[in-house]
Amino acid sequence: MAQVATFHIGDELFGVDILLTKEIGKLQEITEVPMAPDFFLGLMNLRGQVVTVMDPGVFLDQKCQVAPEERRLIILKNKGELDDLFRNDLIEETSMSRDTLAIVIDRIGDVVEVADEDIRPTPPNLSVVKKEFVSGIIQQQSKLIILLDMGALAKRCIPKEEAVN
Amino acid sequence: MMTDDDMLVGFLDEAREHLSTIEPDLLTLESNPKDQETINRLFRSVHSIKGGAGFFGLETLSKMAHVMENLMSKARAGGLTLGQTHIDALLSGLDKLNQMVAEPKTSNDIDISNERDHLESLAEGKEAAAAPAPTPSAAPATPAAPVPPPVAAPAVVEEAERTMKTSEFDLPQKEIEWVAQHDMNLYAVSVYLNRDIMSKGKTPYQFISDLEELGRFVDSYLDTDDAESLEGDVDEEDLRFTFVFASIMAPAVAAEGLAVREDQLQHLKLAEIKDGKVRVTLPAKVPKKAAPAAAPAPVAAPPAVIPEPEPEPEAESDALPLSPPSGMGSSKVLDTKKVKTDESIRVGVAKLNKLVDLAGELVLVRNQLLQAGEKESKKSSSLMSILQGLNMVTTELQEEILNTRMQAVQTVFGKFPRLVRELGRSLGKDINLVTEGGEVELDKTVLEALSDPLTHMIRNTADHGIEMPDERKQAGKIPQGKLLLKAYHESGQVIIEVSDDGRGIDGDAVAASAVKKGVLTQADALTMTDREKQNLIFHPGFSMAKQVSNVSGRGVGMDVVRSNIEQIGGSVDLRSKAGQGTSLKLTLPLTMAIVSCLIVESEGQRFAIPQVNLEELVMLKPEDYEEMLGYVQDREVLRLRGDLLPLVSLAEGLGIKESQPKAYRTFLRQLNSQQAADERKRSETKRRGEERSDPRPYYNLTDKTTEGKRQEAVRVLIISVGINKVGVVVNSIVGSEEIVVKPMPEYLQHLTFFSGATILGDGTVAMIIDTLGFVQHNQLSLTEQRMQGRSLEQAKKSVEEAQSLLIFDNGTEERFAITIPLIQRVDEIELSQIQRVSGKDYLEYRGEQMRLLHLSDYLDVGKPEKRSEKTSIIIPKETHMPVGIVINRVIDTKTMYIDVSEGAIHGPGILGSTLIDGKITLLLDLYALLELGEPDALHRVHFNESKVKASKILVIEDTPLFQTIVREYLSSVGFEVDVEENGKLGVEAIERKHYDLVLCDIEMPVMDGFDVIRTLRANEKFRDLKVIALTSLDDDKLIKEGLAAGFNEWMIKLDKEKMLATVNQYLN
């Protein structure tokens, strides 16, 4: 049994293991970072901590449909916070960075209880979404929840060795 | 209890403290071998390490310390004088001690036999060598005189019966054997809780753990009777504590080691202990008068170890009640030191860092509260005073917490005397190291990061800076070189200077070496000032050593030193005078966690720029523009007190689009086009051999616009990066703020022009500019290094070619440009004339079928939504069949210097981009476009493959853009292409290597194309070398002149087909 936090971006319903999330926040004042890749919205002050805010929609072919001030953030746990969970066998190893990442979403959905067997592999016809960031599909009544692989998403955001300039 | 980890850690910490004093003490002794106080301190330090090590089972460490101690005790007793060999041996022993303390777990495996044997032989050998050696025999006699003979002891006990108390101990046989095995001395000691322990600021537990560092606790006895029996006495409340203690300490030092008076201690002879029963008689109350006679002497002192040669007079005066137990200065020092350490506690650095972080957060919250509270405070006056109170407390708290991380620079300086001593010896130089300001404090992190760069700098100075004694004498200096290491505060920062009185840095030699290594071109070297040349030693890959010695030739260059210092937010400044010496000045922040920054605003975004990199702020008023702004080498420059500084706007440098062109940009652009036209005119007049008619300085503008009056002032930050300065334009200055540096998130670490982020007072995040990264990113450093410091005259000479551009748009927002020499004609057509045949557009044009190309079909550019009925076409020169490129309309033609930065917009068919009238304009590669759209239109040049492979072509061209393009064109066909950046280097290359063909630019710095061809044709060898002029100058007269001078052909740049065809023609 796992709890999955669901959220909307564009037309799709996505889900993330609730253990990977730290908190839900409002999209506050964000400082844009010049020359950062376009999926980064910028940096935000979360109670004295500098948090990198990114838009997962860029990788998922979804565009936020809500006005910026209505948008929400899911602040994800960083490596340090996840290590504790990993040590206690609550989660599998993920490749989150030591720096906190937040993803911007349209709105938050329900938290659903999901049995492991309910998580089905990514169907091959799931073309709208880049498959490398999807770890499975959950069918909930009429809804289809796309379960995201946050580790893969975070990894994608870390620049490769060669510098941009 | 014995192997408690905490205690081991405590011991190791203490051992390190001792070790750090041993080295300077040894060096002091070297110059002053008779310094008894130092010998004593040394002895004690080594001794306590030895004791503790044995206690924790660190046998090897203990042994090493033991042999060192032996030698020192000889010296202490006056048996030998410590010479250089002794000091050397002791230093090498010290190294081993350091090594073992650093790795206590494996310390027992470390081989110390060499050091030990050496020390032992010194201890013995010297004794034998010192032939008259009266000491060993004299020594036993000494104690006999002042102290009552051992046999007298029982008598003393009886006489002093009332003040003496006898305790009985029952010692386990095992313990006695152990003591015997370890060759220890056994003592019975009696101490008073208040007088001997509490009054010294210790707890009984600490006292015991101190003891355990000195030996082994065997048995103890707490005498509670005393408290009652001694009524009326001042010490009536004092509890007496008697114990048996085993230690390696010799009897004479035991009392001192335990910090008790000698009469409180009794040496027990193992042989006299029967069945473990020991009767100990020690004073039961504190004598009111000096009682040296009553003092029970050690029962038997082993004659071999007699430590104090003259204890008599001092013992007398010092034995007064309640006075310090011994007359030795060192023990006094030790005592106060002990008290001091007891007042401090050890805190983990991690914990401290957390506190520093929290203090930083608190400051931020305070700032936010102050901002929010300011509005409210008008309503309530009491709130204001609370806020002020909070403000003060927070500031103080932060300062104090930061202070906890501060350490004296001496901790780093301390290791240099030895380094310099050894460097001096291995190099055969006499170097006197003088350190000043060791008490100046720096943040621990800064200090740690400082250690390696400083070491390297000192090595360098000793190796290269200070001359050999002979050389010094010849230069009229004293043979001993001086190396000054000095720390001091200056305007909120700490300065550390490493200076010498050596030979200084020969800028020319450095430059010559740099040229040899390919770090610098000969031409650049010529334009450099002496200071710039000297600063080349910071260039990566540069080593100053004429021959690599093992001292400085370690693969670490001064570039690493500089980057290390810059990493911790500092800077390095080099000053050197040939023959007089060199001074390296490090400017360091007090701490790394908090940095003083200037907050600036550009395009609505705030940025923090570390104050340490800021040189000054310059306010440019419109009336200053003419005087202070200019254009050199395609670059905007600021003219500041005779220097030309590259000028860049912060927003532009960070790739932020500027919402509206700033007034000074407009000025510069006008200047740019003006200058381009002037330059063209001037080069033409020059070619005609006429006098230059225009004496105006290059930065002058003839017609002043009325617009100029409305222009606002520009704020320019002068930023220093190394010796280079750069002007950075910002919209406004917000103010200065002490900011807490947050490291750049991993996701954004590739952005090298930011060193981190911070949270400003109002809670928003701001990026911190990494000035070095910013300058490098904008490629301001390399060429500007050459530019800076050049005189205006030289700057004027550096000629760039102006390009004639046709600027047009395509019915979209994008702007395009094509170089005019490639265009045959621009014509207007009507859309209805276009016919579409099998997906391609054609136009009947002057009786022929002309293929029409749309930019958006082949290039990554926008597609026009709808064209107006009348539109324009561009017809390129020299196509095989008629081709037209459909555009919307021509905007302008301009002759200007183009700055096509290589990192900017790039793509198939696009050479690059440049700013024209504030708009990004894409420079089209016409040939690439034709290749994509209508390859048949191009003349195909067929090369003979074997010819291509065998042919070497030299391109002499100064503009990087054209270097790239021409090289690409030629190597795409398969030629081997070399590029040189000016005529002088080109001619040198030709003299060096065989080329089949030379393509030579006309307008170049240092030596232009005309000079090249004249030089070549003047030389018999190169009379027949094929040299083609490759230029954008298409003036008929010039062409004539060029061909007359000896060019085989005159070609227009960027005309790929023609160029390849010509090349082909000349190679066949």
Side-chain angles (χ1 to χ4, degrees), chain B residues 172-374:
Chain B
Q173 194 57 38
K174 256 195 342 211
E175 288 286 339
I176 296 171
E177 279 167 15
W178 188 87
V179 169
Q181 261 172 27
H182 288 79
D183 199 19
M184 282 180 161
N185 293 313
L186 202 58
Y187 300 99
V189 187
S190 161
V191 292
Y192 283 91
L193 188 61
N194 276 340
R195 194 196 66 182
D196 294 323
I197 301 175
M198 305 298 263
S199 70
K200 289 179 181 154
K202 287 184 203 171
T203 64
Y205 172 75
Q206 278 169 339
F207 180 75
I208 292 171
S209 66
D210 281 353
L211 285 182
E212 277 165 352
E213 285 183 16
L214 297 170
R216 188 179 170 101
F217 211 66
V218 183
D219 198 4
S220 70
Y221 174 65
L222 185 64
D223 190 353
T224 44
D225 296 347
D226 273 8
E228 292 147 67
S229 63
L230 296 166
E231 35 192 314
D233 200 287
V234 270
D235 289 309
E236 61 182 322
E237 297 300 323
D238 222 352
L239 290 181
R240 182 167 169 267
F241 177 60
T242 311
F243 56 91
V244 176
F245 181 67
S247 170
I248 39 165
M249 287 188 289
V253 290
E256 184 195 315
L258 298 173
V260 298
R261 296 165 7 155
E262 277 174 41
D263 63 353
Q264 287 172 272
L265 184 104
Q266 185 179 342
H267 186 218
L268 306 172
K269 254 195 167 172
L270 284 180
E272 288 172 5
I273 301 168
K274 282 170 191 143
D275 305 330
K277 293 256 191 282
V278 184
R279 262 177 74 89
V280 182
T281 307
L282 286 162
K285 69 170 190 180
V286 184
K288 283 188 175 156
K289 276 186 181 173
V299 180
V305 200
I306 298 307
E308 283 171 275
E310 319 169 308
E312 314 93 323
E314 285 181 46
E316 199 121 12
S317 58
D318 268 7
L320 286 164
L322 303 177
S323 71
S326 155
M328 286 174 66
S330 65
S331 76
K332 271 185 203 155
V333 169
L334 201 86
D335 270 359
T336 47
K337 201 176 152 204
K338 274 217 166 126
V339 174
K340 258 190 190 163
T341 43
D342 286 336
E343 280 167 358
S344 69
I345 48 167
R346 291 183 206 282
V347 182
V349 174
K351 203 173 241 176
L352 215 52
N353 287 346
K354 181 78 189 163
L355 274 178
V356 173
D357 282 352
L358 284 173
E361 298 309 334
L362 185 64
V363 169
L364 293 176
V365 174
R366 185 241 359 230
N367 292 352
Q368 288 166 26
L369 185 64
L370 283 181
Q371 285 187 353
E374 241 168 61

Side-chain angles (χ1 to χ4, degrees), chain B residues 758-826:
Chain B
T758 186
I759 296 170
L760 297 177
D762 65 355
T764 54
V765 178
M767 312 303 297
I768 304 165
I769 304 284
D770 183 321
T771 49
L772 182 66
F774 179 79
V775 165
Q776 281 173 349
H777 180 79
N778 286 287
Q779 298 173 341
L780 295 171
S781 58
L782 290 174
T783 45
E784 271 61 38
Q785 184 168 354
R786 286 181 255 148
M787 217 164 94
Q788 197 199 28
R790 272 190 195 179
S791 69
L792 280 178
E793 198 51 44
Q794 282 171 311
K796 241 190 283 179
K797 274 189 202 154
S798 69
V799 185
E800 278 292 332
E801 267 154 285
Q803 293 290 313
S804 310
L805 297 176
L806 179 82
I807 299 156
F808 61 93
D809 77 70
N810 191 27
T812 61
E813 280 180 4
E814 290 152 309
R815 281 194 173 199
F816 302 94
I818 293 179
T819 45
I820 290 174
L822 300 180
I823 297 170
Q824 186 186 355
R825 192 182 310 127
V826 180

Side-chain angles (χ1 to χ4, degrees), chain B residues 1 24-25 40 81 136 235 324 349 351 374 607 992 996:
Chain B
M1 114 182 180
D25 280 350
N40 286 335
T81 306
D235 289 309
V349 174
K351 203 173 241 176
E374 241 168 61
F607 297 94
R992 219 169 34 233
D996 298 286

Side-chain angles (χ1 to χ4, degrees), chain B residues 952-969:
Chain B
K952 294 184 183 65
I953 300 179
L954 175 70
V955 177
I956 309 174
E957 167 67 66
D958 61 324
T959 317
L961 171 73
F962 290 131
Q963 284 176 0
T964 318
I965 293 171
V966 175
R967 187 207 288 265
E968 232 163 64
Y969 281 172

Side-chain angles (χ1 to χ4, degrees), chain B residues 641-850:
Chain B
R641 293 186 289 271
D643 271 350
L644 291 174
L645 274 49
L647 188 69
V648 66
S649 102
L650 183 63
E652 194 193 355
L654 294 173
I656 304 171
K657 213 180 153 197
E658 283 176 292
S659 49
Q660 54 182 59
K662 296 210 185 60
Y664 85 98
R665 301 305 289 271
T666 320
F667 172 86
L668 274 169
R669 262 191 306 277
Q670 287 166 353
L671 181 62
N672 187 19
S673 43
Q674 179 76 28
Q675 210 178 324
D678 283 357
E679 205 64 63
R680 200 148 173 247
K681 225 183 278 165
R682 220 180 311 170
S683 56
E684 283 165 19
T685 39
K686 191 180 165 197
R687 294 294 154 245
R688 291 183 198 111
E690 288 165 20
E691 270 297 299
R692 217 173 284 177
S693 57
D694 187 7
R696 278 181 298 134
Y698 79 103
Y699 48 83
N700 231 355
L701 191 65
T702 36
D703 25 41
K704 251 183 266 175
T705 51
T706 46
E707 204 190 342
K709 307 278 189 286
R710 295 185 272 111
Q711 288 159 346
E712 86 261 23
V714 180
R715 287 155 188 87
V716 185
L717 314 177
I718 308 300
I719 286 175
S720 61
V721 178
I723 64 154
N724 295 317
K725 288 185 200 163
V726 178
V728 177
V729 177
V730 298
N731 281 19
S732 64
I733 312 280
V734 179
S736 65
E737 205 171 305
E738 301 278 308
I739 60 162
V740 179
V741 178
K742 309 262 180 191
M744 207 60 187
E746 196 182 350
Y747 303 106
L748 300 166
Q749 265 173 359
H750 58 294
L751 303 176
T752 52
F753 34 87
F754 296 127
S755 61
T758 186
I759 296 170
L760 297 177
D762 65 355
T764 54
V765 178
M767 312 303 297
I768 304 165
I769 304 284
D770 183 321
T771 49
L772 182 66
F774 179 79
V775 165
Q776 281 173 349
H777 180 79
N778 286 287
Q779 298 173 341
L780 295 171
S781 58
L782 290 174
T783 45
E784 271 61 38
Q785 184 168 354
R786 286 181 255 148
M787 217 164 94
Q788 197 199 28
R790 272 190 195 179
S791 69
L792 280 178
E793 198 51 44
Q794 282 171 311
K796 241 190 283 179
K797 274 189 202 154
S798 69
V799 185
E800 278 292 332
E801 267 154 285
Q803 293 290 313
S804 310
L805 297 176
L806 179 82
I807 299 156
F808 61 93
D809 77 70
N810 191 27
T812 61
E813 280 180 4
E814 290 152 309
R815 281 194 173 199
F816 302 94
I818 293 179
T819 45
I820 290 174
L822 300 180
I823 297 170
Q824 186 186 355
R825 192 182 310 127
V826 180
D827 218 337
E828 196 168 88
I829 59 161
E830 277 178 35
L831 223 53
S832 58
Q833 294 175 308
I834 298 176
Q835 300 168 31
R836 199 163 178 84
V837 180
S838 60
K840 292 175 178 174
D841 284 348
Y842 288 93
L843 174 76
E844 189 167 334
Y845 187 75
R846 299 190 175 189
E848 276 187 295
Q849 290 294 316
M850 177 185 271

Side-chain angles (χ1 to χ4, degrees), chain B residues 524-715:
Chain B
D524 292 340
L526 290 173
T527 64
M528 286 174 101
T529 63
D530 203 40
R531 181 141 181 255
E532 285 174 310
K533 287 177 187 165
Q534 289 169 352
N535 270 277
L536 283 170
I537 64 164
F538 292 113
H539 202 285
F542 188 87
S543 176
M544 241 190 328
K546 278 185 191 140
Q547 59 194 51
V548 175
S549 65
N550 70 341
V551 173
S552 50
R554 295 184 184 211
V556 195
M558 289 298 284
D559 59 315
V560 178
V561 168
R562 182 197 235 159
S563 71
N564 280 352
I565 297 295
E566 277 167 0
Q567 255 165 29
I568 54 173
S571 61
V572 188
D573 186 38
L574 173 85
R575 306 249 160 197
S576 183
K577 256 200 170 151
Q580 291 181 25
T582 305
S583 166
L584 280 156
K585 185 171 158 188
L586 308 184
T587 308
L588 300 161
L590 286 169
T591 165
M592 278 163 83
I594 297 206
V595 173
S596 173
C597 277
L598 192 73
I599 313 293
V600 299
E601 186 265 332
S602 236
E603 294 303 312
Q605 210 172 325
R606 280 177 296 172
F607 297 94
I609 297 177
Q611 294 275 15
V612 66
N613 301 114
L614 275 179
E615 287 280 313
E616 61 179 295
L617 283 171
V618 176
M619 187 79 104
L620 271 187
K621 294 192 204 77
E623 55 265 37
D624 300 328
Y625 286 1
E626 204 174 299
E627 193 186 329
M628 298 184 74
L629 292 176
Y631 242 97
V632 173
Q633 285 189 344
D634 280 0
R635 290 266 172 79
E636 296 169 2
V637 295
L638 176 74
R639 186 167 170 258
L640 188 67
R641 293 186 289 271
D643 271 350
L644 291 174
L645 274 49
L647 188 69
V648 66
S649 102
L650 183 63
E652 194 193 355
L654 294 173
I656 304 171
K657 213 180 153 197
E658 283 176 292
S659 49
Q660 54 182 59
K662 296 210 185 60
Y664 85 98
R665 301 305 289 271
T666 320
F667 172 86
L668 274 169
R669 262 191 306 277
Q670 287 166 353
L671 181 62
N672 187 19
S673 43
Q674 179 76 28
Q675 210 178 324
D678 283 357
E679 205 64 63
R680 200 148 173 247
K681 225 183 278 165
R682 220 180 311 170
S683 56
E684 283 165 19
T685 39
K686 191 180 165 197
R687 294 294 154 245
R688 291 183 198 111
E690 288 165 20
E691 270 297 299
R692 217 173 284 177
S693 57
D694 187 7
R696 278 181 298 134
Y698 79 103
Y699 48 83
N700 231 355
L701 191 65
T702 36
D703 25 41
K704 251 183 266 175
T705 51
T706 46
E707 204 190 342
K709 307 278 189 286
R710 295 185 272 111
Q711 288 159 346
E712 86 261 23
V714 180
R715 287 155 188 87

